[in-house]
Amino acid sequence: MCSSDLGLMRAGIGCTLKHYPGLGRATGDTHLVAPHLAGVAEDDFAPFVRVPALTPRRPWIMAGHVTIDADDPHHPASASAAAIGRLRRSGFDGIVVTDDATMVSYQANLAENAVASLAAGVDLVLVTYDERSEEHTSELQSPCNLVCRLLLEK
């Protein structure tokens, strides 16, 4: 966190910490591939615990789409009960939002991941819209409708 972030917070402007649990050791770019981490080091996790304590408002954290093999090799952190649970057990009671659901590492199983994210304790699933790509939008329509149906059934 830099001084400009602290200044914004003091002025009442919130920021979103990105990308939980940290992408520094990830095996690739989540925009392009489904990267993995063997585990989460303490120094990766620390900012997501320390920084929210400094915020005067309810903090936000964006959960990344990296898979933590030691916790849950089947879901990205943004859809993992183990990963989101660790964050919540650390005392974080702010808003958790996923990174963009249209990214390669999440989109392949968009409906399953969105339901898993919400069940894991994520508050918002971020889905962007690219008006330049009607094909992309139509590809997402069916999974988004499935998410709604699955959530209504619960």
Side-chain angles (χ1 to χ4, degrees):
M1 169 166 266
C2 62
S3 59
S4 63
D5 294 331
L6 290 172
L8 289 171
M9 284 190 269
R10 287 187 188 115
I13 299 169
C15 61
T16 301
L17 283 83
K18 299 170 42 171
H19 293 90
Y20 173 78
L23 299 178
R25 293 177 176 80
T27 58
D29 181 347
T30 56
H31 293 89
L32 307 173
V33 298
H36 289 254
L37 289 172
V40 178
E42 184 58 34
D43 59 333
D44 292 328
F45 185 67
F48 298 100
V49 175
R50 292 184 191 139
V51 174
L54 302 173
T55 63
R57 295 178 160 213
R58 194 166 185 201
W60 286 55
I61 287 179
M62 179 176 280
H65 298 321
V66 63
T67 299
I68 307 167
D69 293 329
D71 290 348
D72 182 351
H74 305 292
H75 296 96
S78 54
S80 168
I84 301 301
R86 177 188 300 137
L87 181 63
R88 295 297 190 187
R89 285 189 304 279
S90 76
F92 181 77
D93 67 348
I95 303 295
V96 178
V97 59
T98 68
D99 205 343
D100 183 15
T102 65
M103 294 167 70
V104 169
S105 53
Y106 194 91
Q107 183 183 3
N109 297 307
L110 192 145
E112 284 180 32
N113 283 333
V115 171
S117 293
L118 296 169
V122 166
D123 300 293
L124 299 168
V125 175
L126 176 65
V127 180
T128 61
Y129 170 73
D130 184 350
E131 62 190 31
R132 295 170 294 172
S133 173
E134 287 300 319
E135 179 182 328
H136 183 65
T137 303
S138 64
E139 288 173 11
L140 288 175
Q141 187 173 1
S142 180
C144 289
N145 288 338
L146 178 59
V147 169
C148 292
R149 283 197 306 275
L150 290 172
L151 291 172
L152 289 172
E153 290 173 6
K154 292 194 177 243

